[in-house]
Amino acid sequence: PEGQRPALRDKLDKLAAQLLLEKRGEVAREFDAIHSVERAVRVGSLAAVITPERLRPAIIEALERSAAWGRLAPEPAAAAPAPEPRLPSSPEGVASRQG
């Protein structure tokens, strides 16, 4: 019946939203069961896990390595000079100023 359509639509929308949340939860649980930081290190997605106690020294070491690499890296090639501005070849291309 026509009079029930809005209520049925509302009920369907709520059911669809609930189902979507449940399915997303299932996918998230499956993902969490497979993926971990330890696995990421094993497969090479992460180089290492740094404990909080080692974080500051690790950052300092990384910055020192980066600075050392910067000193050893070749100088960047000189940029090509900017081209000379070109004037229009005909008077039509020049806007005239009349004051």
Side-chain angles (χ1 to χ4, degrees):
E2 272 313 300
Q4 292 181 341
R5 278 183 171 251
L8 290 173
R9 171 53 73 183
D10 186 50
K11 190 174 181 178
L12 179 63
D13 289 345
K14 287 179 182 175
L15 182 60
Q18 180 183 354
L19 212 73
L20 182 62
L21 287 175
E22 288 175 15
K23 289 299 174 185
R24 283 183 179 168
E26 288 175 18
V27 170
R29 283 187 294 280
E30 183 180 331
F31 182 91
D32 288 344
I34 295 170
H35 300 281
S36 68
V37 173
E38 292 78 14
R39 178 186 176 278
V41 171
R42 248 188 352 265
V43 300
S45 297
L46 290 177
V49 176
I50 302 171
T51 63
E53 301 81 34
R54 281 280 309 138
L55 185 58
R56 182 181 173 89
I59 290 172
I60 292 169
E61 290 167 11
L63 290 173
E64 288 172 347
R65 281 193 312 271
S66 176
W69 172 252
R71 288 190 298 269
L72 299 175
E75 291 293 321
E84 292 291 321
R86 292 179 40 198
L87 297 175
S89 57
S90 65
E92 296 87 34
V94 177
S96 63
R97 290 190 196 182
Q98 295 180 357

